[in-house]
Amino acid sequence: MKKRVIGNKGPLVSEIGLGCMGMSWLYGNADRSESIATIHAALEEGITLFDTGDFYGDGHNELLLREAFQGIQRENAFISVKFDGKQHSQGKSHRESDNHPHTVKNFLEDTLLRLGVEYIDLYQPGTACIDPNIPIEETVGAIANMVKKGYVRYIGLSEVGVDTIRRAHAIHPISWLQMEYSLFNRSIESNILPTLRKLGISLSAYGVLSRGLLSERYMVKRSGSRFG
């Protein structure tokens, strides 16, 4: 498995990562045993990058990763986590979203407990967590404090524009930006990609197969239904 550097002089991670959202949320029911087997297969193939979020199944995904990583050396898994500014506990009511920077440590503490780890490799606010009424400088500054304390290694961003990227990067080096990018969705090429290159920020691309539209599986199904 080829590896790439995250950010400017950051760690080496596998060129291909495993997004774990579908194992807990959004895309229908998932089989726990199959999900864990998939994570183990990814590790065996040399994948070290695993992407999750505290809102993926209200904490379910982080608990799933904790189970899957039992017996795995911590340094073999680069864990990126998105948070959405809410308290998450499966089956319980949640408080309204609180995006104020002083609450970041609370969400981080919950994530650390669910994952059963002492630090998060990369921590980033989810799109819903970025309140236009709260400067991004304050949110990134709060995460930077967690970096200083050793609970977070690197900071990322998700689904933001050039202005937000520049302002955040001025407070603390941003290691990556997570955006959808594929042959069918190339809008970031005009402004965002040049900015990332100039600032030394990596792109964490998701949806590279256009959510299955460009996959062989989709084409087989489509051709089968049309001509079969």
Side-chain angles (χ1 to χ4, degrees):
M1 175 64 65
K2 293 181 180 179
K3 293 187 177 182
R4 294 188 180 185
V5 174
I6 292 289
N8 188 10
K9 299 180 180 180
L12 280 171
V13 301
S14 57
E15 190 173 53
I16 298 173
L18 181 63
C20 301
M21 180 180 71
M23 299 176 182
S24 302
W25 183 59
L26 198 60
Y27 294 133
N29 295 328
D31 182 87
R32 189 179 192 87
S33 297
E34 184 176 347
S35 297
I36 292 175
T38 299
I39 294 169
H40 289 169
L43 286 164
E44 290 173 3
E45 292 296 326
I47 290 176
T48 60
L49 171 58
F50 297 87
D51 184 78
T52 185
D54 63 6
F55 54 97
Y56 293 175
D58 291 330
H60 174 274
N61 204 241
E62 292 173 327
L63 292 170
L64 179 72
L65 284 175
R66 176 175 183 163
E67 184 177 350
F69 288 150
Q70 291 285 336
I72 303 297
Q73 291 186 340
R74 178 65 181 88
E75 58 270 22
N76 289 338
F78 184 95
I79 305 173
S80 71
V81 179
K82 287 187 288 293
F83 67 97
D84 72 346
K86 295 181 181 179
Q87 294 286 345
H88 290 280
S89 179
Q90 294 180 71
K92 296 182 180 180
S93 60
H94 308 139
R95 296 187 310 199
E96 291 298 318
S97 179
D98 185 351
N99 299 323
H100 290 84
H102 69 271
T103 63
V104 169
K105 62 182 180 63
N106 298 329
F107 309 133
L108 177 59
E109 287 175 358
D110 290 343
T111 281
L112 290 170
L113 286 172
R114 284 190 291 263
L115 283 169
V117 297
E118 295 182 352
Y119 66 89
I120 301 300
D121 294 285
L122 185 141
Y123 202 51
Q124 63 189 42
T127 307
C129 186
I130 298 180
D131 187 332
N133 298 314
I134 299 175
I136 189 64
E137 291 87 347
E138 294 185 16
T139 300
V140 170
I143 303 175
N145 286 334
M146 298 298 101
V147 173
K148 291 178 181 178
K149 294 179 180 180
Y151 297 119
V152 173
R153 295 282 175 87
Y154 303 94
I155 301 177
L157 292 173
S158 175
E159 302 285 353
V160 297
V162 169
D163 179 64
T164 301
I165 295 169
R166 291 185 180 279
R167 288 164 51 200
H169 193 67
I171 298 300
H172 186 279
I174 300 300
S175 293
W176 85 18
L177 173 70
Q178 198 165 53
M179 295 285 284
E180 184 169 359
Y181 185 40
S182 72
L183 290 174
F184 283 177
N185 189 343
R186 303 173 64 176
S187 60
I188 68 172
E189 293 179 353
S190 57
N191 295 314
I192 290 179
L193 275 183
T195 300
L196 298 184
R197 294 188 180 108
K198 183 175 181 180
L199 297 177
I201 300 173
S202 297
L203 172 68
S204 172
Y206 72 88
V208 294
L209 294 178
S210 295
R211 303 171 190 267
L213 189 61
L214 298 176
S215 69
E216 181 180 356
R217 179 181 179 185
Y218 178 87
M219 296 305 292
V220 168
K221 284 187 175 181
R222 184 175 181 181
S223 62
S225 63
R226 185 176 179 181
F227 302 113

